[in-house]
Amino acid sequence: MLKSKVFLVSLVVAVALVASASIAMSAPILIKFSHVVAENTPKGQMANKFKQLIDERLAGKVAVEVFPNSQLFGDDKVLEAMALGDVQLAAPALSKFEKYTPSLQIFDLPFLFDDMAAVEKFQQGPVGQEMLMSMKKKGYIGLGYLHNGMKQISANSPLRVPADAKNKKFRIMTSDVLAAQYEAVGAMPLKKPFSEVFTLLQTKAIDGQENTWSNIYSKKFYEVQPYITETDHGVLDYLVVTSTEFWMGLPDDIRPQVKKALEDAIAFGNDVSAKKAEADRQKIIDSNRSEIIKLTKAERKLWIDAMKPVWSKFAGKIGQEKIDAAVASNN
Ligand code: SIN
């Protein structure tokens, strides 16, 4: 009797030891973060910061692998891959969610935001926060906005007034709003992946493109585009996105810690974006490879007048009340 009791106790102890050992040894939750830009950009640095913070705060429980430069997926495939569980985190430009929600198209409306402070105010306000959840039913959750900055237009000939863009081919992100913006000045927009832009410009298959200073610098577009018009006509920001299934499947004690690390990494990335916009613009000037064209007030007004009719074309889809809220953020 005593023997069998001792045996039972030893068995229970052994099972407990094996169980705790296997918990201790169980593999950490893997978060693959895929993006398309270089590591020295705001998004690249934000992603690396997130990995660093997770390594410091959740070592052994969560591990992050970052894949920059479209190494794992381009933005055209990343959301499908996320739905299949092949990647857990991405931060595509807001322009690239058109297939999933019309509301985020607001960020593509030309000359909507005066500056990045207005963008930040709108994103952190009630409308911007509500939009984070606009794809929940489709299986995606927005975890936060990340800034890159205001966009400029580069070309192989000088662009001062809208007529200079007529019949020229411009690469755009996959957004009908951006297509309408170029059509409004008689240009020809082409939706192409970011990874193809340099070659398209270099081979002169296209005449120009629009992007932020950090993307124009880090991807060397300025080396193959002799003119950059400083239009500040639109914003290029990102939605840090995950799949609802992955996010809700995280253990309750882990999810808030991952969220906090993301928030801290986004704050870091936003700081980088503000500094890089200025620094990379200067590096381009110093390179003497590309002339930066500054518009007079009258010239800029011509671009605004030509492109602003795009707003009313998309107001029904996006929602006039959202556009009004965005305009109000300029004050
Ligand atoms: C990005 O900044 O993630 C890419 C932007 C683009 O496709 O032009």
Side-chain angles (χ1 to χ4, degrees), residues 87-199:
V87 60
Q88 287 69 40
L89 215 52
L94 293 163
S95 317
K96 295 178 180 171
F97 290 90
E98 182 173 87
K99 252 177 40 190
Y100 301 90
T101 172
S103 62
L104 292 173
Q105 285 188 283
I106 192 169
F107 291 101
D108 286 340
L109 293 177
F111 299 102
L112 180 64
F113 296 105
D114 289 350
D115 50 29
M116 291 310 292
V119 174
E120 171 73 11
K121 193 168 163 190
F122 176 70
Q123 289 174 347
Q124 298 312 321
V127 179
Q129 289 300 296
E130 196 185 304
M131 277 162 38
L132 291 176
M133 288 297 160
S134 59
M135 296 178 291
K136 192 156 181 232
K137 281 197 189 129
K138 299 226 163 105
Y140 303 100
I141 293 180
L143 296 169
Y145 297 100
L146 172 70
H147 299 321
N148 186 325
M150 300 302 278
K151 288 182 290 185
Q152 324 301 333
I153 305 180
S154 71
N156 52 22
S157 59
L159 305 178
R160 286 203 172 274
V161 293
D164 295 335
K166 201 168 161 57
N167 295 328
K168 300 227 174 286
K169 291 189 200 130
F170 289 90
R171 176 270 174 176
I172 55 164
M173 295 183 274
T174 49
S175 155
D176 285 348
V177 177
L178 296 180
Q181 171 195 285
Y182 280 94
E183 282 158 4
V185 295
M188 289 180 277
L190 291 156
K191 293 177 182 172
K192 293 283 178 190
F194 188 58
S195 55
E196 292 176 22
V197 181
F198 181 85
T199 307

Side-chain angles (χ1 to χ4, degrees), residues 36-37 43 75 93 96 148 171 173 194 211 215 236 238:
V36 299
V37 291
K43 182 160 58 181
D75 282 334
K96 295 178 180 171
N148 186 325
R171 176 270 174 176
M173 295 183 274
F194 188 58
N211 234 301
N215 279 353
L236 198 167
Y238 306 110

Side-chain angles (χ1 to χ4, degrees), residues 50-84:
F50 173 64
K51 179 183 165 43
Q52 179 205 321
L53 294 177
I54 291 291
D55 285 350
E56 283 167 16
R57 299 175 189 175
L58 286 166
K61 294 180 181 164
V62 179
V64 176
E65 281 175 14
V66 180
F67 299 88
N69 292 312
S70 312
Q71 268 167 23
L72 194 57
F73 297 107
D75 282 334
D76 50 337
K77 290 277 177 296
V78 76
L79 290 179
E80 288 162 33
M82 191 173 274
L84 296 171

Side-chain angles (χ1 to χ4, degrees), residues 23-36:
I23 285 168
M25 286 166 58
S26 68
I29 297 162
L30 182 61
I31 300 180
K32 289 189 194 167
F33 189 159
S34 168
H35 67 81
V36 299

